[in-house]
Amino acid sequence: MRVFKFGGASVNSVERIQNLAAIIRKEQQSPLVIIISAMGKTTNSLEKVVESFYAGKKEESLQLFAAVKQQHLKIAKYLLVTEFNSCLSRLTDFFTEVEWLLHDAAVREFDYYYDQVVCVGELLSTCIISHYLNESGIENEWLDVRDLIRTDNNFRDASIDWKYSENRIRQAIQASSDSSRIFLTQGFIGATPDNESTTLGREGSDYTAAVFANILEAENITIWKDVEGVMNADPKTYAHALLIPELNFTELIEMAFYGAQVIHPKTIKPLQNKGISLFVRCFLNPELPGTHIHQKHLKNLPPIIVVKQNQALVQLNSRDFSFVGEEPMIHLYGLFSRLKIKPNLIQTGAINVQICIDNPDDKITRFAAEAAKLFDVQVEKDLQLLTVRHYQIPLLEELLQGKNILLTQRTKETVQVVYH
């Protein structure tokens, strides 16, 4: 058993869905579980639907959702002939599921409605692709992952009930007919015991694939992307970015922690726990070897460069020259937990603390207001955070040339710099 995951970019057009089918046809020498994301920017479009609905703009939300419907119906019409009616029947059920909700009034929290609406993106994409594969002679069984992955009701960042999910996933795969060697399902979503849809965190399809791989004890997992493999920097912003042919789980989790948009951070633990190899390969050129990620120790890795945009630096100063000791830090970490803030960098001094965090304005404002009960607070926004692992001084000087540096933190392996 192997697990494949295809992201939104790999299924954002008729041509790319046809390319996906060609990859599956070539790679189906052993049983496959295929995890597929929503098409292209569908999740972004559905987020706008939720925002309009929650703001009380019912007609606007219905119009925005109608555009999503038409986009998927257009793709289905291009791809399908004999399977179109069957596909349309299932798509209509999903459309109705959302429209029924949008005709009502919001009486629960935003995150609940977010999950009920946004989850449909994965359901629509996998429905169309499953029928297309069947029509193309690639027999597969479509599974609703909400029947398999049970979660708590922490909407938008739900935690998985592993015991229940393990039993359901194994039952679903083992109960299927022997002739069905390909199982196709959704990433990113699950459901509560009350059958309310949940999501596992933005870009969580990688994590779903790792959950299936762990439970099924897969031989390996392949994540198909639009780049050669894992690069040492974002090639869109760093012209000298290099392919890294091999990585280990330790290095990958460090990259994810510091913000590299390669693999969802939750993905690594389920794979490392079972020793399951991970491959990152290019769906635009499947002949390329990509990057192989495993547990072995590696030496002589190149510098790995991660830049996070839209950062805020929060400066907290003691009001009466008291040391910033245990009690104030316990208070701060309590705030992080309550407001769901994940600091990217913390530096403490005798009477001050500097914290670099992502800059969603609502959370910054709330955090600053709460922290002001203990500290004098200053906030500087519109900053960047550079992280370089395995850094070299000449490279660091090149990357920081002309930058107004506000904060630097350095270890033997890693340097982080906050700057304008």
Side-chain angles (χ1 to χ4, degrees):
M1 175 67 69
R2 293 179 298 155
V3 176
F4 283 1
K5 181 264 176 173
F6 291 91
S10 62
V11 293
N12 67 359
S13 68
V14 168
E15 294 74 21
R16 288 195 170 177
I17 293 171
Q18 291 169 333
N19 179 63
L20 177 149
I23 291 172
I24 300 303
R25 185 174 281 109
K26 182 176 287 189
E27 296 277 352
Q28 65 178 110
Q29 66 267 26
S30 63
L32 284 174
V33 171
I34 304 172
I35 311 294
I36 297 180
S37 300
M39 294 180 182
K41 300 298 183 181
T42 299
T43 299
N44 294 344
S45 299
L46 291 170
E47 287 175 339
K48 293 177 181 177
V49 172
V50 186
E51 289 163 5
S52 293
F53 165 76
Y54 204 73
K57 303 174 183 177
K58 183 175 83 170
E59 293 305 319
E60 180 179 281
S61 67
L62 287 166
Q63 289 172 6
L64 290 169
F65 186 64
V68 173
K69 286 173 57 177
Q70 291 307 312
Q71 173 200 9
H72 286 82
L73 288 171
K74 181 179 178 181
I75 289 176
K77 288 174 182 176
Y78 271 115
L79 286 170
L80 303 173
V81 180
T82 59
E83 292 276 332
F84 179 76
N85 288 336
S86 174
C87 179
L88 178 61
S89 176
R90 184 175 281 165
L91 289 176
T92 301
D93 288 341
F94 298 140
F95 297 151
T96 302
E97 191 176 318
V98 174
E99 288 168 336
W100 176 83
L101 182 147
L102 296 179
H103 276 97
D104 209 343
V107 294
R108 297 180 62 170
E109 69 276 14
F110 177 85
D111 289 354
Y112 166 78
Y113 293 106
Y114 180 98
D115 281 4
Q116 308 319 300
V117 173
V118 168
C119 75
V120 82
E122 274 70 15
L123 296 166
L124 298 177
S125 67
T126 55
C127 173
I128 294 170
I129 293 166
S130 175
H131 282 89
Y132 175 66
L133 292 177
N134 279 326
E135 186 164 307
S136 303
I138 303 172
E139 182 183 349
N140 71 96
E141 181 167 347
W142 184 89
L143 301 170
D144 189 334
V145 79
R146 296 176 299 177
D147 296 330
L148 307 179
I149 291 184
R150 173 167 287 180
T151 72
D152 62 14
N153 62 357
N154 184 25
F155 298 104
R156 293 189 74 178
D157 192 18
S159 295
I160 292 175
D161 179 340
W162 275 84
K163 185 175 181 180
Y164 178 91
S165 302
E166 181 174 352
N167 289 334
R168 290 292 296 122
I169 288 171
R170 286 182 173 167
Q171 288 170 9
I173 301 300
Q174 292 168 358
S176 301
S177 61
D178 292 338
S179 61
S180 182
R181 295 165 58 86
I182 297 177
F183 307 91
L184 191 146
T185 193
Q186 306 79 38
F188 175 56
I189 63 178
T192 69
D194 296 324
N195 290 322
E196 294 173 322
S197 298
T198 56
T199 62
L200 307 178
R202 200 67 157 83
E203 309 294 339
S205 293
D206 292 349
Y207 180 44
T208 303
V211 170
F212 273 83
N214 177 288
I215 289 171
L216 297 172
E217 299 186 350
E219 177 185 343
N220 57 56
I221 175 175
T222 301
I223 293 178
W224 296 89
K225 300 179 75 72
D226 58 355
V227 292
E228 294 177 53
V230 178
M231 314 293 284
N232 76 321
D234 184 349
K236 295 173 185 174
T237 58
Y238 186 66
H240 304 296
L242 302 170
L243 173 70
I244 307 176
E246 274 191 283
L247 278 172
N248 57 35
F249 288 120
T250 299
E251 197 63 44
L252 187 67
I253 202 165
E254 291 285 346
M255 291 175 67
F257 174 80
Y258 289 119
Q261 299 296 308
V262 180
I263 304 294
H264 190 282
K266 290 182 180 178
T267 305
I268 296 127
K269 185 177 186 298
L271 301 179
Q272 193 275 337
N273 289 171
K274 292 283 183 75
I276 298 169
S277 289
L278 167 63
F279 294 88
V280 178
R281 295 174 61 188
C282 181
F283 65 78
L284 298 173
N285 190 349
E287 303 305 317
L288 295 175
T291 300
H292 180 200
I293 300 151
H294 47 65
Q295 301 204 77
K296 299 175 185 175
H297 180 69
L298 293 172
K299 294 181 179 180
N300 302 319
L301 287 168
I304 295 171
I305 304 163
V306 181
V307 179
K308 294 195 77 172
Q309 305 290 337
N310 196 25
Q311 299 293 292
L313 186 63
V314 183
Q315 172 99 19
L316 307 175
N317 294 300
S318 171
R319 287 178 174 161
D320 59 359
F321 259 54
S322 297
F323 287 121
V324 179
E326 184 176 321
E327 289 301 321
M329 293 307 295
I330 288 173
H331 177 74
L332 286 177
Y333 276 94
L335 282 180
F336 297 150
S337 176
R338 183 150 49 87
L339 299 178
K340 297 182 180 179
I341 289 174
K342 297 177 181 176
N344 297 318
L345 184 155
I346 299 177
Q347 188 156 292
T348 59
I351 58 172
N352 62 69
V353 184
Q354 292 176 290
I355 306 166
C356 179
I357 57 179
D358 294 340
N359 181 27
D361 286 332
D362 59 331
K363 288 190 177 182
I364 290 283
T365 302
R366 291 169 64 195
F367 177 73
E370 290 285 341
K373 295 174 182 178
L374 287 182
F375 300 94
D376 287 327
V377 180
Q378 293 179 316
V379 180
E380 195 162 358
K381 298 182 180 180
D382 300 320
L383 307 176
Q384 287 78 47
L385 172 62
L386 169 70
T387 303
V388 185
R389 282 183 60 74
H390 317 297
Y391 61 90
Q392 300 160 355
I393 297 301
L395 173 64
L396 201 57
E397 291 174 347
E398 174 191 333
L399 293 170
L400 294 173
Q401 186 174 7
K403 303 293 192 298
N404 178 21
I405 297 171
L406 304 177
L407 179 65
T408 301
Q409 196 169 92
R410 191 185 308 241
T411 68
K412 182 179 177 182
E413 287 283 346
T414 305
V415 62
Q416 290 189 281
V417 184
V418 181
Y419 60 85
H420 277 294

